[in-house]
Amino acid sequence: MKLDNIPFHVTDWSQVIPEQHPGESGYATWKVAFAGDVRVRIVEYSPGYLADHWCSKGHVLFCLEGELRTELEDGRTFDLKPGMSYQVADHAEAHRSSTATGATLFIVD
């Protein structure tokens, strides 16, 4: 991720129209803003959410609320609680998310 040619900008997330994305179970609600080629999102996972795919895109992900489990394709799992983050590069380690209780995340990619 390279942050070039992005003028200062404030995002009022309450004004961003949400998009709903179904998972294998549950759903994700995304609020998306772009800063040049950089996508910035607030994502809310419903209780019982399980991603319907393995993701190979790089992210910086910060857990705002709830609990998130991230599974890597090699079987390792990592549990995030509010105040925790993970970082992964594009095409580095495929991962997918799930949550039993729901989670709210701030993601930059």
Side-chain angles (χ1 to χ4, degrees):
M1 171 174 35
K2 190 167 179 164
L3 302 174
D4 279 334
N5 300 314
I6 301 171
F8 184 85
H9 177 79
V10 173
T11 302
D12 180 352
W13 291 101
S14 70
Q15 299 301 308
V16 177
I17 297 169
E19 311 168 3
Q20 194 164 13
H21 299 266
E24 187 172 303
S25 61
Y27 60 89
T29 303
W30 297 10
K31 290 186 173 185
V32 182
F34 285 92
D37 292 334
V38 178
R39 180 174 64 170
V40 182
R41 296 179 284 163
I42 292 182
V43 175
E44 294 182 29
Y45 290 144
S46 68
Y49 176 80
L50 172 62
D52 64 351
H53 66 283
W54 290 97
C55 179
S56 60
K57 179 137 183 71
H59 313 284
V60 175
L61 180 149
F62 182 76
C63 183
L64 297 167
E65 296 178 4
E67 294 186 10
L68 177 73
R69 171 160 284 182
T70 298
E71 178 184 5
L72 302 185
E73 204 166 26
D74 67 10
R76 290 180 290 159
T77 60
F78 300 89
D79 294 326
L80 275 68
K81 295 182 179 185
M84 297 174 72
S85 68
Y86 75 71
Q87 300 71 229
V88 63
D90 287 336
H91 311 292
E93 294 173 283
H95 51 280
R96 71 176 175 176
S97 297
S98 64
T99 178
T101 60
T104 302
L105 313 166
F106 183 80
I107 306 171
V108 179
D109 50 29

